[in-house]
Amino acid sequence: MSDDERRGRGAASVHRVGGLLGDLQAADEQPVAPRRRADAERNRAQILAAAERLFAEAEQDPRTVTMDRIAKAAGVGRATLYRSFPDPSSVAVALLDEHERHLQGQLIYGPPPLGPGAPAGERLAAFYLAMLDLLERHLPLALGAETGPARFRTGAYGFWRVHVRTLLVAHGVRDPDPLIDIALSPLSPELFRFQRHELGLSTERIGHSLTTFARRLLAPGDGSGDRDGDVGSGGGGG
């Protein structure tokens, strides 16, 4: 196509815009992706809001939250729901992620002892308390998202591992990797449910024990005492 032909086509397009054909052409040329994205975001928001209500009502048994129930509560079709989430667990992960991100931000940028600037033992103790609070408020979501082997594959668990490893290294633990998951094991949603709802322990009692454990594990002056694998054996505050 010559330059003149290109200019002629452009001019014709400009002239057509004034009439009915131009209106139809202009409408046809409008991008549809933004509208589709807006619809998808609205559907996602409805799904998450409905699912959060259902998980809250489920109390300690998230198995009662099914894809059918989520779709009906959200007012969307099953196909729409499955385009965003493959199963109820993935919905729970998305919901829990919103709450966990806030805590992650505090660990990186917040004031001590949860954030940087405090001794490793105090930071671990503060982390335990923050996680207990999250589990107390969102246990059904945690049970739906982070039970069994799936717990170790979530992005949040990977973040907690990095955080705890950082504290262990800062304390001077020479071989921190085997200890990371041991330090995180008291925060299992299943264990928390057992202690809170079967044994009837209060979050205060659980929290006191965990903060004592954290301070003894990373007691001041014991950072180099793990040469023989005896981390924190010298006792400590708590």
Side-chain angles (χ1 to χ4, degrees):
M1 183 183 294
S2 68
D3 291 341
D4 289 338
E5 287 172 325
R6 291 192 184 94
R7 283 193 292 271
R9 171 177 282 189
S13 299
V14 170
H15 290 307
R16 282 201 302 269
V17 169
L20 177 60
L21 179 59
D23 293 338
L24 293 174
Q25 181 186 25
D28 185 60
E29 292 174 351
Q30 291 298 316
V32 296
R35 184 172 62 191
R36 288 176 182 167
R37 284 196 297 269
D39 290 344
E41 287 300 318
R42 183 173 63 252
N43 288 336
R44 179 182 172 86
Q46 290 176 203
I47 290 166
L48 292 178
E52 184 140 38
R53 291 194 301 271
L54 292 175
F55 276 110
E57 293 167 2
E59 296 181 350
Q60 282 76 57
D61 190 5
R63 293 171 298 178
T64 63
V65 181
T66 64
M67 294 296 271
D68 280 339
R69 292 189 64 199
I70 294 173
K72 290 177 183 177
V76 301
R78 284 173 54 88
T80 298
L81 175 58
Y82 277 103
R83 275 196 295 270
S84 299
F85 302 101
D87 50 43
S89 177
S90 63
V91 182
V93 169
L95 286 167
L96 193 62
D97 182 64
E98 296 297 321
H99 305 297
E100 289 173 329
R101 283 185 185 183
H102 176 69
L103 175 55
Q104 291 167 3
Q106 290 181 308
L107 294 174
I108 299 173
Y109 305 111
L114 193 56
E122 293 302 316
R123 293 198 67 193
L124 182 60
F127 171 63
Y128 279 151
L129 292 179
M131 284 296 294
L132 287 180
D133 179 65
L134 188 147
L135 288 171
E136 178 71 15
R137 291 184 291 113
H138 304 294
L139 181 58
L141 289 180
L143 289 170
E146 297 185 351
T147 55
R151 177 179 183 233
F152 305 108
R153 295 192 294 268
T154 64
Y157 189 80
F159 187 97
W160 310 141
R161 290 192 90 254
V162 171
H163 177 64
V164 172
R165 189 182 195 281
T166 300
L167 298 181
L168 295 174
V169 171
H171 189 66
V173 177
R174 292 181 58 190
D175 188 15
D177 294 316
L179 193 57
I180 298 171
D181 300 294
I182 295 172
L184 285 169
S185 60
L187 302 175
S188 158
E190 294 136 314
L191 175 60
F192 182 80
R193 175 176 60 181
F194 174 72
Q195 291 186 316
R196 284 285 289 122
H197 300 285
E198 294 191 37
L199 299 182
L201 301 178
S202 67
T203 53
E204 290 76 14
R205 289 182 66 189
I206 299 171
H208 177 74
S209 294
L210 286 182
T211 54
T212 299
F213 169 71
R215 290 167 181 145
R216 288 179 177 171
L217 179 66
L218 301 179
D222 285 346
S224 60
D226 66 313
R227 291 192 179 96
D228 297 320
D230 191 12
V231 181
S233 62

